[in-house]
Amino acid sequence: MTPKLYLSYRLDSLVDQLIQQIDEAPLDPLETRIILVPNGQVRQWLLLEIAKRKGIAMGLKVLEMHQLIPPSPSSLEMFCLIFAALTESSDPQLVSYLEGKKKRVLDLAGQLSSLFFKYGEYDAALFEGKSVGWQHELLRKLFVDGPWRLPVQREVQINEPIICFGIDSLAPIYWEFLFRSPTLSIYLFSPCVDFWADLSTDRERKNLNRYWKKRGAAKNKRDELDNYLREAPKNLANWGRLGRETLKIFDRFDLETEEVYPDFEGRSLLKQVQYDLLTFQETQNPKIDDSIKVILTGSSRLKEIEALRDEILRMNVPYHEISVLAPDIELYVPLIEFVFGNEIPYQISGFDAAPQSSFRQGLVRLIRLGSGRWEAEEVLSLFETPSFYRKQNWDSETVADFRSWMSEVDIEWGLDAAHRKSILNETLGERAFVDRGSWENGLDQLLEAVVFLKPMQVNGDRLDALLGILSALKELNFNGEKSLGRWADSLENAANTFLLADPNDEADAAVLSSFRSFLVNLRDFENDRLFPFDVVEHLLIRPSNGKLHSSHLHGVRFAKIEDGAAIPAKALFLIGMDEESFPRVQTSTSLDLLRQKTPDAADLDRYLFLQAIFSAVEFLRISYGHLSADEGKPVGPSLLVQELMSATGAGISSVYRGPTPKEIKKTLIWPHFKQSALPEGEITVSLSELRQLARHPWKFFLQKAHGIYLKDELEESFTLQKALLLRSSLGKSVEAPKLPPGPFGKAIELDIAEKASECRLQLEAWQIEPFSLVLRENCTEVQLEGSHYAAPPLEFSWNKLTVRLVGEIKQASTKGLICMNEDSIAGALKVWPEALAAALSLNTPQICMLRNGKMKQLVNAHESLKAFIEYYFLCLKAPSPLISEWADPILRKGPADLEKKMEKGSLFEDPAVEWVFARAELPTAEEIYLNWSPLLKTTFGGLVELYPSRTAP
C-alpha cells in the first residue's frame, strides 16, 4: 500500500485528519494502532486532543522511536562495553592518553558512547573494510567481531501498520525501516505550501558557490545560481534546513501526499508573518500590533519570570492555552515556583528532577560516605538529608544535637587511627601522624560524658541512635570490583536500609522510578565482567526526567523548546532567547568521525523556532535578558530573533520596567560638587567605610550625610546573595549569607557551585589560599593569628591631618587581594581601596583577578590610597557620581557616554540608585563631568592605568 503523507503548518489540523483516518478504518477491539511521536509532551497532548474530539482515546499505542525499535546495546550496556574495551586496549595512542587514570577512562567512554550510537545511525561504512585507527578497532571489536549490532548493521522488518505523527527528523536508516511497514501514514509539519526543498541557508549558498568555483564553473553561471537561491524568503531558507533534509529523504520513496492547511483567520502581525512564510514570500510593510512582542528583561532571570507573570495576568487567555518554552527550562524551575506560587497554576516538564530530590541527595551522600574519608561535614550533610532522617524517624532537634556534639568533641575525619593512617599514607606517603579528630576518638568522648556526667549535655537515647546508625553506615563498602548485578544488590540494599523517598514529592517519585529502572538495567547486563563502582556511579548520576504539578492540566505549560515547539497554543512564550543561549552551540570534538556530516543542534533550534512561530495561534512573546548578570554589559537577542525582527521591524521590541511605581515628589536636594578643606588632627578611618564608598558612593552618602538606611530586604538582591555565597565557599573569611528557604535558595547554591569549583582550581594554580587580613591599632608587625593575619594600621599624613587606617580585608593572599569581580574598570573600582591597603601591608602590589586568572600590577599604591582618603573626606560633603556603572564614562570616555548611561537608569535594579532617581533632580551629564572628572581622574589615575583607553578621549 502506498504510504501517505499529510502536510500542515498546525498539528491540531493534523489531529483532525488522523481521527478521520482512524474512523474510516476501525480495528478489532482487541487490536491497537501504533502511533509514533517525537517525545512525551507530544504524546500527552495528542492523547488529550483525541479524547476531546472522540470522548475517549483507546486502542492506541503511542510510542517514541526508541520504544518501537529499542537500541541494542542500551546506553548502559554501550558505556560498560566501551569502558571495558578501553581498559583492555593496548593501542599506544590510547594507553599514552589514558595513563591508567580512571576518570579519563570514564570521560572518554562517555564521549564514545554517544558517538558510537551516532555512527550506528548514520554511516554503515565505518563498520566495513579495514580498521584505520583506534576508534575503528573498537568499533570492529564490539560491533563486527562481537555480538552487538547497531541500526545500520541490522535488517529490521516492521509487520504492522504505523502512524508517524509530528516527527520532523530521523536518521535515514529509521525512515527506511518505517517505509517497510505494510501501511505507513506520516503526519508532518510543513511551513510552506510551495516546493521549498531546494532552498539554501546563507552558509549553504556560499559553500555551493565555492564548490562550483573550484569545479571551474563560469562566474555568470554561479551568479545566476546565487541570484536564484537569494530569491527565496530568507527566513524560511535559514530556519528550515532540518525539514528540507527530511523531504529529500522522502523523495526516494513513492508517497501519496495530501495537504490539510487550515485557512488564516484575522490580519494580525503574527498571522501576516505566518502567511508570508507559508506562501513563499517576504513580509512587506508589516503593521505593528500586540500579537508579537520581544521583551527585554534586564540582567536577571528572576526579572524575566516576573515579566512573564505580568504578561500572562495582563492577557485574557485561559491558562491551559498558554505554553512557555525555553532552551533550558531547568534554569527557571526554582524561579517559576518562587514567582508563580499559588497565583497562577502551572505544570513543568522536561527538567532534571535530581537536584530537587532528597532521595537522590541521600543516595549520592551515602555513596560518597561509603568510599570516602568520613568527613564530619559529609556525615552531617547525610544526617540532615530529609530522605535519610525520615527513614530513621529523627526530628530536627535530634539532628541539631548531633551537629553540636560533633563540634564539641572536634570530630574531623576518619573512622579510627588505622583508617586515617591508610588515607594519609596513600596521599602523603609513610610518615608519623597524630591521631586526632577521628570518629572513634570523638565517640569515646561522648560516651565518657554520659558515664562520668561531664558538663557537656548528651542525651543517652540519642547517643544510642547515633552509635547504631554509624555502626550500620560503617558496613557500607563501595570499593573493589563486582559484577553489575552485584553492584545493583549493594545499591538497593543501601537505599532500602537508609533512605525513604517521599511518595507525595514529584521529584522523589521521578528519581525513585529512574533508580529502579537503573537497577533493572544493571541486572540485565549479560556479562559477568567485574567493574569498579566508579562505572556504576557515573551512570547513576545521569539526569532523571521530572515533572512538577503534572496534574494541573488547566495550568500554564512549561517545557523545553524541543519538546513543545510544535504544540499549538493560543499564547506562546519563548524565554531565554539571548544570543548566547539560542541557537545552542554544539561543541564539536576531534573524536567525531562524522563531524559536520550530520544535523547539528543549531539546525534543530532553527527549525524549532520556525515551528514555534506557527504554533502561536494568537500571541507570540519572546523574552531575554539584554544585560549580562555580572557587569550589565549589553547582550543581544538570538540571531533568530534578529532575523524575525528584520521581517517585522524593531517596533515589536520593548524593555520590561515592571509595575508602574507610584509617582514620588522629588524633594531631595542633591548637593553639587564643591572643594573643601581636609579636617585637622588625628583621625581613625575604617576600611569598611572606604569599601562602601568604592562600591556604592550614593549609599555611602545617604547613610553618612542623611542617616538614610534602605531596608535590608531591598538591598540583598539575588545577584548579591550569589556573590556573597561564592566568596564564602572559597574560605572561612566571609560569612555565607542567609538564603531564602525552599527551591529559590537552592537555586542560588546550585548556580554558584560550578563557579566556585573553577575559582578553586585557579587558586590552586596560583598556589595561594585566601585569608583575612586585619589592620589593628595595637599590632606592631604582620603576624599569623589563628586563621587570619594581623598587621599594623596604615598611616597617612598631611600638614595638619594624620589618618590611621584600620579594619579587615576579607579576601587577601600572599600575592595580593583576590578580586572575584569582572576584570574591568568597574569591577576593580569596587575593591580599589582594599587592594591598595593589602598591597601596602603585605608588600604585594597586585590584584589577583580570579575570573580570568590575570594579575594586575599596582603602581604607587601609597599615593593612590592617600588620594582615595582625600576623596573619602570630600564625599562626606557631596555625593560622588562614581557608581560602578558610570565609572568608565567618567574616567575614560566622556560626557556623551555618561549621558547614555544616565538615560538608561540603573542596570541592576539597584535600590539606592532607583531611590535617588525617584526623589532627586540630578545634575546633567555635562555638569557632572565638568565638575567631578578632573578630581576623579587624578584620584583614580592608578586605576585608569590598569585599563588604558584604546582611543584618545
Side-chain angles (χ1 to χ4, degrees), residues 44 67 129 288 325 438 599 682 723 774 861 926:
Q44 181 185 29
Q67 295 170 314
I288 304 299
L325 309 176
S438 71
E682 293 187 0
V774 180
E926 189 74 27

Side-chain angles (χ1 to χ4, degrees), residues 25 29 44 133 211 214 217 256 265 329 415 432 473 516 574 624 632 671 687-688 764 784 807 854-855 868 919 925 934:
Q44 181 185 29
Y211 170 79
K214 288 180 180 179
E256 183 181 321
E265 297 178 359
I329 197 65
L415 288 169
L473 287 170
R516 288 170 176 165
L574 301 178
Y624 70 98
L687 269 169
S688 63
E764 290 174 7
L784 179 63
K854 293 184 178 180
M855 296 282 191
F868 191 91
R919 292 165 175 80

Side-chain angles (χ1 to χ4, degrees), residues 673 675 867 870-871 874 931-940:
F673 169 84
Q675 285 284 8
E870 294 181 35
Y871 168 70
L874 178 62
N931 291 331
W932 282 91
S933 181
L935 170 72
L936 294 176
K937 287 185 177 181
T938 300
T939 302
F940 295 96

Side-chain angles (χ1 to χ4, degrees), residues 355-547:
Q356 299 196 33
S357 166
S358 72
F359 180 79
R360 167 61 71 83
Q361 292 168 5
L363 198 58
V364 170
R365 287 167 182 168
L366 273 177
I367 290 169
R368 289 176 180 169
L369 193 63
S371 56
R373 289 161 35 109
W374 273 71
E375 297 272 1
E377 193 57 42
E378 284 186 356
V379 176
L380 285 169
S381 295
L382 175 63
F383 287 179
E384 292 169 350
T385 305
S387 61
F388 185 87
Y389 67 68
R390 189 187 300 123
K391 179 70 173 181
Q392 319 312 321
N393 290 318
W394 291 345
D395 55 24
S396 58
E397 187 177 340
T398 300
V399 178
D401 270 357
F402 293 162
R403 178 172 283 278
S404 174
W405 297 347
M406 292 178 196
S407 176
E408 290 213 30
V409 298
D410 293 325
I411 296 175
E412 294 177 353
W413 65 273
L415 288 169
D416 49 32
H419 185 222
R420 286 172 64 91
K421 182 177 181 180
S422 66
I423 292 176
L424 289 172
N425 288 346
E426 184 179 338
T427 55
L428 302 177
E430 289 284 350
R431 63 177 62 189
F433 74 98
V434 177
D435 178 20
R436 183 182 61 206
S438 71
W439 282 90
E440 185 177 62
N441 279 346
L443 294 174
D444 285 345
Q445 293 180 56
L446 291 175
L447 286 169
E448 287 179 7
V450 174
V451 174
F452 298 107
L453 302 177
K454 290 188 175 183
M456 181 171 48
Q457 297 295 315
V458 178
N459 181 294
D461 292 337
R462 287 179 179 169
L463 181 57
D464 282 344
L466 176 61
L467 292 172
I469 198 65
L470 289 175
S471 177
L473 287 170
K474 287 179 185 178
E475 300 301 318
L476 285 175
N477 184 3
F478 295 113
N479 298 312
E481 294 187 343
K482 298 180 184 178
S483 68
L484 295 186
R486 290 184 61 197
W487 279 129
D489 294 338
S490 299
L491 270 177
E492 186 173 37
N493 181 61
N496 291 339
T497 303
F498 296 107
L499 302 176
L500 182 63
D502 182 354
N504 298 317
D505 183 274
E506 289 181 298
D508 264 11
V511 170
L512 183 59
S513 174
S514 176
F515 177 63
R516 288 170 176 165
S517 297
F518 176 69
L519 295 178
V520 170
N521 292 335
L522 288 178
R523 292 180 174 123
D524 285 347
F525 185 69
E526 296 179 359
N527 193 313
D528 292 332
R529 180 186 172 84
L530 304 183
F531 291 91
F533 186 73
D534 304 70
V535 172
V536 179
E537 184 178 4
H538 184 91
L539 295 165
L540 177 64
I541 60 176
R542 290 180 175 181
S544 298
N545 192 40
K547 295 183 179 181

Side-chain angles (χ1 to χ4, degrees), residues 628-633 727 819-831 847 849-852 856 908 947:
S628 66
D630 297 323
E631 294 295 334
K633 292 184 177 180
R727 288 186 174 90
C819 177
M820 286 183 283
N821 301 331
E822 186 169 300
D823 188 4
S824 67
I825 198 167
L829 170 63
K830 295 177 182 179
V831 299
I847 308 177
M849 307 304 294
L850 194 56
R851 289 197 185 185
N852 59 6
K856 294 286 186 181
F908 296 106
Y947 301 95

Side-chain angles (χ1 to χ4, degrees), residues 664-709:
I664 301 174
K665 188 177 180 180
K666 296 191 175 185
T667 57
L668 179 66
I669 298 174
W670 200 243
H672 289 261
F673 169 84
K674 60 179 180 181
Q675 285 284 8
S676 59
L678 291 172
E680 299 179 359
E682 293 187 0
I683 298 176
T684 299
V685 175
S686 171
L687 269 169
S688 63
E689 294 187 19
L690 300 189
R691 182 189 307 120
Q692 185 181 31
L693 172 59
R695 293 182 178 182
H696 208 309
W698 288 8
K699 188 183 295 183
F700 170 85
F701 179 75
L702 289 173
Q703 293 181 6
K704 293 294 181 181
H706 293 280
I708 296 173
Y709 292 81

Side-chain angles (χ1 to χ4, degrees), residues 80-384:
C80 293
L81 290 169
I82 294 175
F83 178 88
L86 289 175
T87 55
E88 294 169 353
S89 175
S90 57
D91 183 276
Q93 188 178 357
L94 266 181
V95 172
S96 173
Y97 169 73
L98 296 174
E99 295 180 345
K101 296 179 180 178
K102 198 173 295 180
K103 187 176 186 307
R104 286 192 180 180
V105 181
L106 291 170
D107 291 342
L108 184 57
Q111 292 185 61
L112 292 177
S113 292
S114 59
L115 287 175
F116 282 13
F117 275 123
K118 182 163 75 169
Y119 301 161
E121 291 178 342
Y122 283 95
D123 197 342
L126 290 174
F127 302 88
E128 301 167 356
K130 185 179 179 181
S131 296
V132 181
W134 60 269
Q135 274 203 68
H136 284 89
E137 289 181 6
L138 282 180
L139 287 170
R140 176 170 290 281
K141 177 180 179 180
L142 296 176
F143 304 108
V144 178
D145 300 334
W148 306 96
R149 295 294 179 268
L150 292 169
V152 293
Q153 301 172 284
R154 296 162 60 188
E155 288 292 329
V156 175
Q157 185 62 47
I158 299 176
N159 299 316
E160 51 211 327
I162 298 292
I163 296 173
C164 190
F165 187 90
I167 296 179
D168 301 290
S169 177
L170 286 174
I173 189 65
Y174 290 119
W175 286 121
E176 290 184 17
F177 294 160
L178 292 176
F179 275 96
R180 294 172 188 170
S181 168
T183 304
L184 176 64
S185 301
I186 302 173
Y187 293 80
L188 189 70
F189 165 76
S190 172
C192 187
V193 295
D194 296 317
F195 179 77
W196 65 291
D198 62 350
L199 299 187
S200 298
T201 65
D202 290 339
R203 179 179 295 181
E204 288 174 319
R205 181 172 50 78
K206 292 174 183 176
N207 289 340
L208 197 60
N209 192 292
R210 282 194 292 266
Y211 170 79
W212 285 113
K213 184 176 181 180
K214 288 180 180 179
R215 295 292 299 270
K219 186 177 185 305
N220 65 323
K221 294 294 184 182
R222 287 187 281 114
D223 290 344
E224 185 179 342
L225 174 62
D226 191 64
N227 290 333
Y228 168 75
L229 295 175
R230 283 177 180 272
E231 290 178 359
K234 183 178 179 181
N235 288 342
L236 183 63
N238 285 337
W239 300 341
R241 181 183 178 188
L242 200 73
R244 295 198 301 273
E245 294 301 317
T246 297
L247 293 178
K248 290 175 183 177
I249 293 173
F250 288 173
D251 284 344
R252 308 201 314 248
F253 303 96
D254 290 330
L255 277 166
E256 183 181 321
T257 303
E258 185 173 337
E259 298 178 349
V260 285
Y261 299 104
D263 294 332
F264 278 91
E265 297 178 359
R267 296 180 176 272
S268 68
L269 175 62
L270 176 61
K271 297 296 183 184
Q272 183 180 354
V273 170
Q274 293 172 344
Y275 180 81
D276 291 341
L277 288 169
L278 191 69
T279 55
F280 206 76
Q281 58 188 350
E282 296 282 5
T283 299
Q284 303 289 335
N285 304 317
K287 295 181 180 179
I288 304 299
D289 59 23
D290 190 45
S291 61
I292 303 179
K293 280 186 181 180
V294 177
I295 306 170
L296 287 63
T297 59
S299 60
S300 73
R301 292 193 182 95
L302 174 61
K303 194 169 184 181
E304 187 172 13
I305 297 302
E306 289 174 343
L308 168 67
R309 175 202 59 198
D310 293 348
E311 190 70 11
I312 287 174
L313 293 175
R314 189 188 66 80
M315 287 178 165
N316 186 25
V317 176
Y319 294 140
H320 69 276
E321 295 188 46
I322 298 174
S323 183
V324 184
L325 309 176
D328 186 359
I329 197 65
E330 194 168 325
L331 299 173
Y332 293 92
V333 171
L335 303 178
I336 295 165
E337 293 183 277
F338 179 77
V339 172
F340 277 49
N342 296 321
E343 186 176 13
I344 300 175
Y346 61 91
Q347 57 171 296
I348 312 175
S349 62
F351 67 96
D352 181 12
Q356 299 196 33
S357 166
S358 72
F359 180 79
R360 167 61 71 83
Q361 292 168 5
L363 198 58
V364 170
R365 287 167 182 168
L366 273 177
I367 290 169
R368 289 176 180 169
L369 193 63
S371 56
R373 289 161 35 109
W374 273 71
E375 297 272 1
E377 193 57 42
E378 284 186 356
V379 176
L380 285 169
S381 295
L382 175 63
F383 287 179
E384 292 169 350

